[in-house]
Amino acid sequence: MTLRLYNTLTSEKELFDSVKPGEVGIYLCGPTVYKPSHIGHAVGPVIFDVIKRYLTFKNFKVTWVLNVTDVEDKLIAEAEAQGRDMLELARDLERQYVDAMGAMGVKNIDYMPRASEHIQEIIDHINDLIEKGHAYVVEGDVYFDVSKDEDYGKLTNRKADDQESGTREGLVKAAKRNPGDFALWKAAKPGEPASAKYQAPWGVGRPGWHIECSAMAMKYLGKTFDIHGGGLDLKFPHHENEIAQAECATGQTFAKYWMHHGLTRFNTKKIAKSDPEMAKVMESLQIANLLKQHDPESLRFLILQSHYRSPIDFSDEVLKAAKSGLGTFRRLLERVERVTNSDPYKPEMQIERMRDAELDPRGRDLLDELMHLRVRFLEEMDDDFNTAGAIAVLFEIANAMNKYIDAAKLETHSDELPRNMLRAAGGTLVSLGNVLGLFERRPAARAIGDDGKLPQLVELLVNVRKMSREAKQYAIGDHIRDELTKLGITLEDGKDGTRWRID
RNA sequence: GGCUGCGUACCCAAGUGGUUUAAGGGGACGGAUUGCAAAUCCGUUAUUCGCCGGUUCGAAUCCGGCCGCAGCCUCCA
């Protein structure tokens, strides 16, 4: 099975062939930490987390770099507005970002370099470009000269001349040789904080946007590496400029594959801080706020249920649908746990290891079906990381397992053979889910009240209800159940008694 | 004006030339099960893929035109 991925550079799905055999280097553009992150910021990390998991699953040794830009104009302005130190504010926001990503299961980042801690590398990079005639100094600013780069525009297929003029009006510095030239270094302006001032050979100032990424990517991954990713909105100018800087400096290919994920929208509009309409809902779209009301796995599930290149229209409706869908797996795993008496979240068995002697006819059928579904899952992932297709397969696996439990009457019979088969099936479901960062642990019971007495209270009501039902006083029992349902506690009467769960 | 994408059922969404007279999820409805529910299982919900033409033995998938939506060209994941 071979992995294919869509390369923005060629606008085609290409066969994946790593630069170094068995190793993969990935660079994802991370946040500029000047405002709390919103849900859209989670999309890249979640998808690339899956990409790393899958490549690791395919036995590649993966190095994943996600940068933090903490020296930047808007950050300076925000710190100024809040009367705080720039780097202190940056660290705060970075911590919030890391916590939120961790909660959503993003845990495989190898390096999170900060721009402020790579000033020397940036200066060296700029120096290199100046020496090679690709950049020039004007009054303490350094600009990249696009006219000296024949390949400029190759990522987004654009020529500087065709771009709408006027938008840059007032922003175009007279000192620039071409309107498309961009800053590699910005001279310090009066009143700017000391933490944003660095000494460079051509004067005091700070890096321009773009240069930190090519400098840090090359430091951690080498001059040529495999995958560079980011949001669609970064294609131009950010990634175009990164390519220009890096390739003019090294004379070799920067990133082999460019992957861009779709943008998160709200009411079909991109989530953008500068949009006044969006400003009203921004707060509710902050990850920290969303995590207070929704469990992180649902958010992750929602993101992965569409293809990474498609936009996601975020809303309560889609979130609710994602949560319902996830519930199917959670209930199934609970069922597996009950029936097999083993922890499905720590799988010890997989279907691949089942032997014929351990199977009855029904088990054999399930095994065949699951083997087939497992292959389909991997095929979906091989096809440009089609997580939506992969999740569809997981649902089919869940259906097959539920059917098996029903047909073999595993909830009322205790034959060891089918239970083992179910354990293995659960193991495969969970380990495939793990490739997507799902089903990593038992969902935490929602805490309602901190005194821990809730379970006892529910048990009490369940018992009272049981007594009334035994006395055929169904009205009382139904009342208890209905009222609990209203509180978000669902009762399920099974053959072996009543179970309950909190949604 | 230039450059990108996208438009699949009530909603979300996969599928980019035949293996699909279109996966999967949510919702709704009907059935099995249940005292009744919930959960689970079975079934129904697109002969059709924005519209119009073209290429082809064959198109949701390729080409052209039109309509609609979004992104970039200015900070942006």
Side-chain angles (χ1 to χ4, degrees):
Chain A
M1 286 186 288
T2 45
L3 173 64
R4 293 176 349 128
L5 52 81
Y6 184 87
N7 188 354
T8 312
L9 207 48
T10 55
S11 303
E12 276 173 11
K13 274 188 202 170
E14 296 178 16
L15 232 56
F16 180 72
D17 181 29
S18 62
V19 175
K20 290 185 205 158
E23 291 180 31
V24 181
I26 301 176
Y27 187 93
L28 175 68
C29 284
T32 296
V33 281
Y34 77 102
K35 286 268 181 169
S37 299
H38 59 253
I39 183 67
H41 291 115
V43 174
V46 165
I47 285 149
F48 276 80
D49 178 74
V50 170
I51 290 173
K52 175 166 178 182
R53 283 171 194 257
Y54 189 59
L55 289 170
T56 304
F57 174 86
K58 287 180 88 79
N59 291 318
F60 284 100
K61 186 184 178 303
V62 183
T63 305
W64 178 19
V65 180
L66 187 152
N67 73 288
V68 172
T69 299
D70 60 351
V71 184
E72 199 268 343
D73 291 359
K74 290 194 300 298
L75 175 55
I76 294 171
E78 183 65 27
E80 170 78 28
Q82 293 189 24
R84 296 183 66 187
D85 175 68
M86 183 189 81
L87 288 179
E88 186 194 302
L89 172 64
R91 292 297 172 269
D92 256 16
L93 292 168
E94 178 188 314
R95 201 171 307 119
Q96 288 174 31
Y97 174 81
V98 170
D99 287 350
M101 292 310 119
M104 291 179 70
V106 177
K107 284 168 184 161
N108 298 298
I109 301 166
D110 296 289
Y111 299 100
M112 270 191 82
R114 297 169 178 140
S116 67
E117 292 167 2
H118 293 76
I119 300 298
Q120 192 54 52
E121 285 86 348
I122 291 169
I123 288 173
D124 291 347
H125 190 188
I126 296 173
N127 245 335
D128 196 16
L129 286 167
I130 294 173
E131 280 169 15
K132 287 176 173 150
H134 283 289
Y136 55 93
V137 183
V138 182
E139 294 162 16
D141 291 334
V142 183
Y143 293 100
F144 183 89
D145 187 343
V146 294
S147 69
K148 298 270 171 56
D149 179 9
E150 286 179 7
D151 280 344
Y152 190 77
K154 72 175 179 183
L155 178 67
T156 51
N157 189 27
R158 62 184 87 204
K159 302 178 208 70
D161 302 345
D162 293 342
Q163 300 305 299
E164 191 165 87
S165 58
T167 42
R168 281 164 171 265
E169 209 172 333
L171 294 168
V172 178
K173 290 206 179 182
K176 281 195 200 177
R177 290 181 191 165
N178 314 289
D181 290 356
F182 54 92
L184 299 175
W185 189 267
K186 294 179 172 182
K189 295 183 197 70
E192 286 177 352
S195 53
K197 286 179 184 165
Y198 301 92
Q199 183 63 244
W202 44 82
V204 173
R206 61 180 180 279
W209 185 42
H210 318 311
I211 194 72
E212 83 282 19
C213 279
S214 48
M216 296 191 291
M218 290 195 283
K219 172 175 179 179
Y220 292 95
L221 300 170
K223 289 176 181 171
T224 298
F225 59 95
D226 299 285
I227 301 172
H228 191 132
L232 258 174
D233 53 351
L234 294 184
K235 276 165 73 175
F236 191 91
H238 188 55
H239 291 159
E240 195 70 77
N241 292 352
E242 273 189 65
I243 292 176
Q245 291 159 358
E247 299 193 348
C248 283
T250 67
Q252 44 182 283
T253 301
F254 180 45
K256 196 168 172 185
Y257 304 96
W258 285 83
M259 296 181 69
H260 291 96
H261 65 257
L263 302 177
T264 307
R265 311 188 299 187
F266 188 85
N267 286 339
T268 78
K269 285 271 190 248
K270 173 186 172 185
I271 298 174
K273 291 148 189 146
S274 50
D275 183 338
E277 234 180 289
M278 196 58 70
K280 294 174 204 155
V281 292
M282 275 310 285
E283 217 170 298
S284 66
L285 295 172
Q286 283 175 17
I287 304 181
N289 289 335
L290 287 170
L291 287 175
K292 283 178 197 157
Q293 295 172 50
H294 307 283
D295 85 280
E297 197 176 17
S298 299
L299 295 174
R300 187 179 179 104
F301 192 80
L302 164 62
I303 290 170
L304 296 177
Q305 235 186 336
S306 60
H307 187 87
Y308 76 85
R309 280 191 280 125
S310 315
I312 298 170
D313 234 312
F314 197 83
S315 67
D316 282 341
E317 287 78 3
V318 295
L319 232 170
K320 207 176 151 205
K323 195 177 171 181
S324 300
L326 231 200
T328 298
F329 296 105
R330 291 180 170 177
R331 285 187 300 271
L332 169 60
L333 291 173
E334 215 179 275
R335 210 178 174 199
V336 170
E337 175 158 41
R338 208 180 328 119
V339 169
T340 65
N341 214 0
S342 56
D343 185 353
Y345 292 95
K346 294 193 178 74
E348 285 164 13
M349 250 202 270
Q350 304 268 316
I351 53 167
E352 303 93 282
R353 281 190 267 145
M354 291 298 285
R355 284 165 304 169
D356 278 350
E358 300 172 317
L359 295 166
D360 57 13
R362 204 165 4 228
R364 163 140 295 281
D365 286 348
L366 178 65
L367 182 70
D368 287 347
E369 189 176 0
L370 294 188
M371 290 294 250
H372 173 69
L373 289 170
R374 183 175 177 280
V375 169
R376 267 186 54 205
F377 178 94
L378 300 177
E379 283 170 350
E380 294 288 1
M381 290 302 286
D382 270 341
D383 184 12
D384 196 25
F385 307 104
N386 189 349
T387 55
I391 286 176
V393 176
L394 294 183
F395 274 109
E396 291 186 52
I397 291 175
N399 178 258
M401 287 172 64
N402 271 319
K403 235 185 284 191
Y404 182 72
I405 297 171
D406 286 353
K409 299 191 168 59
L410 290 185
E411 285 172 314
T412 46
H413 292 61
S414 57
D415 302 335
E416 208 39 43
L417 238 51
R419 283 166 139 205
N420 266 331
M421 180 59 217
L422 186 63
R423 249 180 230 128
T428 293
L429 174 64
V430 167
S431 55
L432 291 180
N434 286 171
V435 171
L436 302 176
L438 300 172
F439 322 145
E440 294 218 285
R441 67 188 59 80
R442 177 179 284 97
R446 179 94 82 84
I448 299 176
D450 287 326
D451 54 10
K453 295 218 174 94
L454 180 73
Q456 285 145 270
L457 209 56
V458 177
E459 291 297 342
L460 173 69
L461 285 166
V462 166
N463 272 330
V464 172
R465 178 164 170 272
K466 186 181 173 210
M467 288 158 71
S468 66
R469 289 174 73 216
E470 278 164 358
K472 306 267 186 221
Q473 296 289 327
Y474 292 121
I476 295 169
D478 290 352
H479 179 71
I480 291 173
R481 187 176 58 199
D482 292 347
E483 292 304 310
L484 284 174
T485 301
K486 284 181 196 162
L487 297 172
I489 297 169
T490 308
L491 300 192
E492 292 180 7
D493 297 329
K495 293 215 165 62
D496 46 354
T498 298
R499 286 183 297 277
W500 60 274
R501 66 186 142 77
I502 303 172
D503 296 322

